[in-house]
Amino acid sequence: MQLRNCLALGAMLSIFSVQLLATQTPLSNAQKQTATQLMQTALESKLGMEIVTSLTTEIGPRLGGSEAEARARDWGVELGKRLGFDKAQIEEFTMPFWQRGKLHIALTSPYQQELYGTALGGAAPTQEKITADIVYFRDIHALADVKDGALKGKIAFVDGDLMVKSQTGAGYGQANQRRRIGWQHAQRGGALGLVVRSVGSDSHRFPHSGMMSKDGDKWASIPVIAISNPDADHLRRLHNLDTPLTISLHSESKWQGDVSSGNVVLDLIGSEKPEEIVLIGGHLDSWDLGTGAVDDGAGIAITTAAAALIAKLPKRPKRTIRVVMFGAEEVGLLGAFAYAKQHEANLTNHVLATESDFGAQTIWQLESNVNPQATLLIDEIAKILSPLGIVRGRSDAPGGGPDIIPMAAKGVPTIRLNQNGHDYFDLHHTPDDTLDKINPAELAQNIAAYAASIYLIADSDVELKP
Amino acid sequence: MQLRNCLALGAMLSIFSVQLLATQTPLSNAQKQTATQLMQTALESKLGMEIVTSLTTEIGPRLGGSEAEARARDWGVELGKRLGFDKAQIEEFTMPFWQRGKLHIALTSPYQQELYGTALGGAAPTQEKITADIVYFRDIHALADVKDGALKGKIAFVDGDLMVKSQTGAGYGQANQRRRIGWQHAQRGGALGLVVRSVGSDSHRFPHSGMMSKDGDKWASIPVIAISNPDADHLRRLHNLDTPLTISLHSESKWQGDVSSGNVVLDLIGSEKPEEIVLIGGHLDSWDLGTGAVDDGAGIAITTAAAALIAKLPKRPKRTIRVVMFGAEEVGLLGAFAYAKQHEANLTNHVLATESDFGAQTIWQLESNVNPQATLLIDEIAKILSPLGIVRGRSDAPGGGPDIIPMAAKGVPTIRLNQNGHDYFDLHHTPDDTLDKINPAELAQNIAAYAASIYLIADSDVELKP
């Protein structure tokens, strides 16, 4: 081996060693110790339960655009101040307001029986009580095949299957089609209204609410009602007995014009790079049927408590940690789009964004969508989180949560702390989404994972952009 | 040993042997084989599910005294004929009819929030919507201490604890006091109305209905509303924050005067002792909120299917097997009292009575209240049932089911095939009592146990009276 070659090899090894050092130890021992201590503190803290208890009890249900959501914003600012955030403010936006009104839906033939239903978001009201025969469709595909005008004077019922329960909530997207676009086919068929089997994995007698999709810029001009899975089972059984079905329907839910909503923004200002923002959050609004404990009081509690525990450290992390309590998520990610627009000029300063919006069961996986160098940082974080039962997932997983979509679309890097969603769609958008459904130990595990990982990213110099 | 003594000893031994024979083998091998075969057939049969599916689907909810309950009686007679019973008839009686009307109950201060409530059976209506402050009572004992007139202009809320879940349903009796007699104290206090934490072991947002107790011959003259456990939790938390609570209440449920109800009586006439009756049954009425699958469509299905399987044997058992579908059980055992009165003259011919009215989970224990000789027969039956996971319980256990109470009080012997009631009070009297809650395999186990034990008792010569 010639000297020249040896020197070249030495230089290569040296570069390699530096890279190895940089990639194998993107975190200092002190940082690792702080993260581990944060996890321990989080597991012992009651702060998360206190936050979600306060939100659901003192504010209650808080539909996007409602007076209750406005009270929740004031609550959020007050909470941020009390927990030691450096900055706590509301960023307002304007939105169209759909409000639930009274509903009565009942089977009237072959006999009288109340049905447990709820209007879907965006539905039109009935002018008065309507009574009409049901035309049964086994699933959304059957409804999609309906001929124009074939449903005149009728109410369509689109059945479907009970949503499969899974850790990832995988069945939701498909099941959700009947809720999202069913009305477009029913309306095209000339139906007086549409009744939809609830999108949910439970067999309780609760209807699941949720927003419908617009057709271009148009909302439904017919009433659309989701009924509970047991009610849908009941109609299916009667239909399978060749029993003609008639229902009566009176729904007063409707659009009410423009109102104010807003995002609550809480900042822990970074000690070295205050302009660089690590954004976490949940959504402050809820559907109106429950008190929004699981969706998404839990996400608000998890991310706020995690940041509040970091706020108690002797020194702020290098970067700014921002908790956003997004407004009006359920009704179309309106707070998320408002945030991305209002912060358009400095989105490049958002080094990372992630949201907790999948309930309160434990986190089982960490996924990311950052550059390869930063991926090694996330790998290191995953090792630190592993005592919480969290495994490392894909490093090319897009996402970050519903309210992160508009930011991610503009290039903001994301991670996901994926929660076990096995029971999430039992409760999702129903009256049953209440505080008692949250297991305090599981909530604390979430906070531990957020506190450790967000601290480490905020105290790092690693650039995460792909 | 003298001859005389020897003869006496021989006679004694002879008597002893006969007794031993009688007590150790009260059942023939042929009878045992038939019973075991019935069990096997029952476990493979779908008849029970077909019956409860038909009742809940084709009739739906069937409140005692309603038009739906009348349709259920016709259904019961028709079913009995189709299943090969020798006699199928309705025995009518008259009853006072309490009917649920519209209800709206909401928290109005500190903010507006709908509550999930239901009027309790026997409650008076509000004249119009009332809005009043809540006076909170931690439990029924606190309410019982209220001074006369101390609640004028107020609505009382009686809280309590979540009912303990247990195999035996042991917590029901005590928890039920606030539902049964709470109104008497609230009314004495001068309250405008009473709100009660639901008596149930679930944390779902369903209120549990149920009948209140009369005070002498008087029903409540105030509205009484049960709210779901999560709603009660919510009010408790707000109360514990020293938040003054106001609710609005409008309830139209009320007494409607006398109507007709009836019991359906299906007989398999005994081949040797037709006048001796082994009575089994369930109740045909249900609360109106669910479709009465678990309470007590299951009991109807279990006992009717068990008898129908016996009806397919080549020969009728010696004694008559009678299935009674009792009317108006939920609203005060009205069918049971009517039956005991209408059959007063021949109750001595009722050799045994038992009812299935504790849901559809598996039977785990056989108890009895018959004479010592007959106890040995029941012991033998328990051995035959043991492959079903059924153990022998007390032989001095009174009971036999709610509708058996009036008969048992007149000396009719009873057994109990005790079901696992662990989940029963999650569903009991709620909208959630629907067909999907029944596990077909568990229902079949019940039918197997009833078919075998009732066949053996009906084909026996053993006198059961204590």
Side-chain angles (χ1 to χ4, degrees):
Chain A
M1 194 184 275
Q2 295 178 2
L3 180 65
R4 189 174 164 193
N5 282 349
C6 281
L7 281 173
L9 183 63
M12 278 173 70
L13 278 174
S14 173
I15 291 166
F16 185 69
S17 299
V18 168
Q19 279 186 339
L20 203 69
L21 197 70
T23 57
Q24 285 199 333
T25 59
L27 299 171
S28 71
N29 283 338
Q31 286 172 323
K32 289 181 184 176
Q33 280 166 19
T34 301
T36 300
Q37 186 54 52
L38 276 170
M39 279 162 53
Q40 196 55 45
T41 305
L43 292 175
E44 290 164 7
S45 168
K46 292 178 179 170
L47 181 58
M49 277 308 292
E50 285 166 10
I51 293 171
V52 68
T53 301
S54 172
L55 176 59
T56 55
T57 304
E58 293 166 50
I59 308 300
R62 44 200 184 279
L63 185 62
S66 68
E67 168 277 335
E69 197 201 26
R71 281 190 290 114
R73 286 193 291 281
D74 293 339
W75 169 92
V77 168
E78 188 54 43
L79 177 73
K81 289 177 180 169
R82 206 171 66 238
L83 292 177
F85 284 84
D86 303 314
K87 210 167 147 190
Q89 58 185 28
I90 295 168
E91 298 179 351
E92 291 201 357
F93 56 86
T94 300
M95 58 170 278
F97 184 44
W98 180 87
Q99 190 173 35
R100 192 178 309 286
K102 285 185 190 164
L103 170 70
H104 185 244
I105 179 167
L107 192 63
T108 55
S109 179
Y111 49 77
Q112 181 76 28
Q113 179 181 327
E114 304 294 305
L115 299 175
Y116 285 76
T118 197
L120 289 178
T126 56
Q127 292 308 310
E128 50 191 11
K129 184 171 92 169
I130 54 177
T131 301
D133 293 341
I134 283 279
V135 181
Y136 176 92
F137 296 91
R138 180 61 184 80
D139 54 30
I140 182 66
H141 308 297
L143 178 60
D145 287 342
V146 77
K147 290 209 173 70
D148 291 6
L151 297 173
K152 274 190 183 138
K154 310 289 188 181
I155 293 175
F157 167 55
V158 60
D159 199 352
D161 296 309
L162 194 65
M163 203 191 127
V164 172
K165 282 170 85 94
S166 74
Q167 182 167 261
T168 62
Y172 184 57
Q174 194 185 343
N176 210 9
Q177 289 304 303
R178 60 179 182 267
R179 184 190 98 197
R180 286 271 175 208
I181 61 161
W183 71 270
Q184 299 175 15
H185 300 293
Q187 193 166 305
R188 186 172 53 71
L192 296 171
L194 172 66
V195 176
V196 176
R197 175 189 281 267
S198 262
V199 176
S201 53
D202 62 298
S203 278
H204 292 298
R205 203 99 179 266
F206 295 116
H208 295 243
S209 189
M211 211 66 189
M212 298 189 287
S213 297
K214 282 194 278 196
D215 185 9
D217 60 352
K218 288 201 179 108
W219 290 105
S221 60
I222 57 172
V224 185
I225 311 296
I227 59 171
S228 82
N229 276 316
D231 285 274
D233 294 343
H234 197 84
L235 296 191
R236 182 195 291 185
R237 283 195 299 271
L238 283 167
H239 171 76
N240 288 347
L241 291 170
D242 291 328
T243 313
L245 303 177
T246 306
I247 65 169
S248 72
L249 171 60
H250 189 194
S251 175
E252 297 181 355
S253 300
K254 61 181 177 185
W255 290 101
Q256 301 279 10
D258 279 0
V259 295
S260 264
S261 183
N263 299 315
V264 176
V265 179
L266 309 179
D267 283 344
L268 297 182
I269 307 287
S271 55
E272 295 186 17
K273 301 175 179 177
E275 75 287 357
E276 294 194 4
I277 295 166
V278 177
L279 187 151
I280 58 176
H283 64 83
L284 192 55
D285 66 308
S286 74
W287 274 104
D288 52 342
L289 300 172
T291 58
V294 161
D295 185 14
D296 182 32
I300 293 293
I302 289 163
T303 53
T304 307
L309 294 179
I310 296 171
K312 287 193 179 167
L313 294 175
K315 193 185 163 194
R316 291 279 185 262
K318 294 173 186 171
R319 291 161 165 161
T320 290
I321 293 176
R322 172 168 291 176
V323 176
V324 182
M325 299 177 176
F326 291 97
E329 187 269 354
E330 295 291 4
V331 292
L333 310 184
L334 303 182
F337 283 106
Y339 182 92
K341 192 168 179 190
Q342 288 165 356
H343 294 264
E344 199 169 13
N346 77 335
L347 277 185
T348 51
N349 288 344
H350 286 60
V351 298
L352 186 91
T354 189
E355 182 180 29
S356 171
D357 181 23
F358 201 48
Q361 291 188 270
T362 49
I363 294 168
W364 66 279
Q365 187 190 48
L366 172 60
E367 293 193 305
S368 61
N369 189 30
V370 297
N371 68 51
Q373 173 85 356
T375 291
L376 297 170
L377 169 66
I378 307 299
D379 292 345
E380 281 293 296
I381 292 174
K383 283 180 201 155
I384 291 168
L385 300 186
S386 66
L388 297 173
I390 297 170
V391 301
R392 181 71 167 110
R394 289 168 56 190
S395 58
D396 60 345
D403 286 310
I404 308 304
I405 294 172
M407 272 179 269
K410 305 242 173 178
V412 174
T414 59
I415 61 167
R416 286 301 295 272
L417 287 158
N418 287 319
Q419 295 164 288
N420 174 8
H422 189 266
D423 301 335
Y424 186 65
F425 291 103
D426 287 359
L427 304 169
H428 183 246
H429 299 184
T430 75
D432 219 13
D433 180 0
T434 51
L435 183 63
D436 50 285
K437 308 307 183 303
I438 296 180
N439 178 321
E442 295 191 332
L443 191 75
Q445 188 259 15
N446 276 267
I447 298 167
Y450 270 87
S453 51
I454 295 310
Y455 161 76
L456 292 171
I457 292 168
D459 206 47
S460 164
D461 297 308
V462 174
E463 174 64 53
L464 290 93
K465 283 211 168 49
Chain B
M1 195 182 274
Q2 293 181 2
L3 179 65
R4 191 175 159 188
N5 283 349
C6 281
L7 282 174
L9 182 61
M12 278 171 72
L13 280 173
S14 173
I15 291 166
F16 186 68
S17 300
V18 166
Q19 279 185 337
L20 202 68
L21 196 70
T23 57
Q24 286 198 328
T25 59
L27 299 171
S28 71
N29 284 340
Q31 286 172 323
K32 289 180 186 177
Q33 280 167 18
T34 300
T36 299
Q37 186 54 52
L38 277 169
M39 280 161 54
Q40 197 55 42
T41 305
L43 292 175
E44 290 165 7
S45 168
K46 293 179 178 169
L47 181 58
M49 278 308 292
E50 285 166 10
I51 293 172
V52 68
T53 301
S54 172
L55 176 59
T56 56
T57 304
E58 293 166 49
I59 308 300
R62 45 199 184 278
L63 185 63
S66 68
E67 168 277 336
E69 198 200 27
R71 280 189 291 113
R73 287 193 290 281
D74 293 339
W75 170 93
V77 167
E78 189 54 41
L79 178 73
K81 288 177 180 169
R82 206 171 65 239
L83 292 177
F85 284 85
D86 303 315
K87 211 167 147 192
Q89 58 185 30
I90 295 169
E91 298 179 350
E92 292 201 357
F93 56 87
T94 300
M95 59 169 278
F97 183 44
W98 179 88
Q99 190 173 35
R100 192 177 309 283
K102 285 184 189 163
L103 170 70
H104 185 244
I105 179 168
L107 192 63
T108 56
S109 178
Y111 50 76
Q112 182 77 27
Q113 179 181 326
E114 305 293 304
L115 299 174
Y116 285 76
T118 196
L120 289 178
T126 56
Q127 291 310 308
E128 50 193 11
K129 184 171 92 168
I130 54 176
T131 301
D133 293 341
I134 283 279
V135 180
Y136 177 92
F137 295 92
R138 180 61 184 80
D139 55 29
I140 182 68
H141 307 297
L143 178 60
D145 286 343
V146 78
K147 291 209 171 72
D148 291 5
L151 297 173
K152 276 194 180 134
K154 311 289 189 182
I155 293 175
F157 167 54
V158 60
D159 200 351
D161 297 309
L162 194 65
M163 203 192 127
V164 172
K165 282 170 84 94
S166 74
Q167 182 166 262
T168 63
Y172 184 57
Q174 194 184 344
N176 210 10
Q177 289 303 302
R178 60 179 182 268
R179 184 190 99 197
R180 285 272 175 209
I181 61 161
W183 72 270
Q184 299 175 14
H185 299 294
Q187 194 165 306
R188 184 172 54 71
L192 295 172
L194 173 65
V195 176
V196 176
R197 175 189 280 269
S198 263
V199 177
S201 53
D202 62 299
S203 278
H204 292 298
R205 202 98 180 266
F206 295 116
H208 295 243
S209 189
M211 211 65 190
M212 298 188 289
S213 296
K214 281 194 279 195
D215 184 10
D217 61 351
K218 288 200 179 111
W219 290 105
S221 60
I222 56 172
V224 185
I225 311 296
I227 59 171
S228 82
N229 276 315
D231 285 274
D233 294 343
H234 197 84
L235 296 191
R236 182 195 291 187
R237 283 194 300 271
L238 283 167
H239 171 78
N240 288 346
L241 293 170
D242 291 328
T243 314
L245 303 177
T246 306
I247 64 169
S248 72
L249 171 60
H250 189 194
S251 175
E252 296 181 356
S253 300
K254 61 181 178 186
W255 290 101
Q256 301 279 11
D258 280 1
V259 295
S260 263
S261 182
N263 299 315
V264 175
V265 179
L266 309 179
D267 284 343
L268 297 182
I269 308 287
S271 56
E272 294 186 17
K273 302 174 179 179
E275 74 289 357
E276 293 195 6
I277 294 166
V278 177
L279 186 151
I280 59 177
H283 64 83
L284 192 57
D285 66 308
S286 74
W287 274 105
D288 51 342
L289 299 172
T291 58
V294 161
D295 185 14
D296 184 30
I300 293 292
I302 290 163
T303 53
T304 306
L309 294 179
I310 297 171
K312 287 192 179 168
L313 293 175
K315 195 187 162 193
R316 292 280 184 262
K318 295 173 185 170
R319 290 162 167 161
T320 290
I321 294 175
R322 172 168 292 175
V323 177
V324 182
M325 300 177 175
F326 291 96
E329 187 269 354
E330 295 291 4
V331 292
L333 310 183
L334 303 182
F337 283 105
Y339 183 91
K341 191 167 181 193
Q342 287 165 357
H343 293 265
E344 200 169 12
N346 77 335
L347 277 185
T348 50
N349 287 345
H350 286 59
V351 297
L352 185 90
T354 189
E355 183 180 30
S356 171
D357 181 23
F358 201 49
Q361 291 188 270
T362 48
I363 294 167
W364 64 280
Q365 188 190 49
L366 171 60
E367 294 193 306
S368 62
N369 189 31
V370 297
N371 69 51
Q373 173 84 357
T375 292
L376 298 171
L377 169 64
I378 307 299
D379 293 345
E380 281 292 296
I381 291 173
K383 283 180 201 155
I384 291 168
L385 300 186
S386 66
L388 296 173
I390 297 170
V391 300
R392 180 72 167 110
R394 288 169 54 190
S395 58
D396 60 346
D403 286 312
I404 307 305
I405 293 172
M407 273 179 269
K410 306 243 171 173
V412 175
T414 58
I415 60 167
R416 287 302 293 272
L417 286 158
N418 288 317
Q419 293 163 288
N420 174 8
H422 189 266
D423 301 335
Y424 186 66
F425 290 103
D426 288 357
L427 305 169
H428 183 246
H429 298 184
T430 74
D432 220 11
D433 180 0
T434 50
L435 183 64
D436 50 286
K437 308 307 184 303
I438 297 180
N439 177 322
E442 296 192 331
L443 190 77
Q445 188 259 18
N446 275 267
I447 298 166
Y450 270 87
S453 51
I454 295 311
Y455 161 75
L456 291 171
I457 292 168
D459 207 47
S460 165
D461 296 308
V462 174
E463 173 65 52
L464 290 94
K465 285 213 166 48

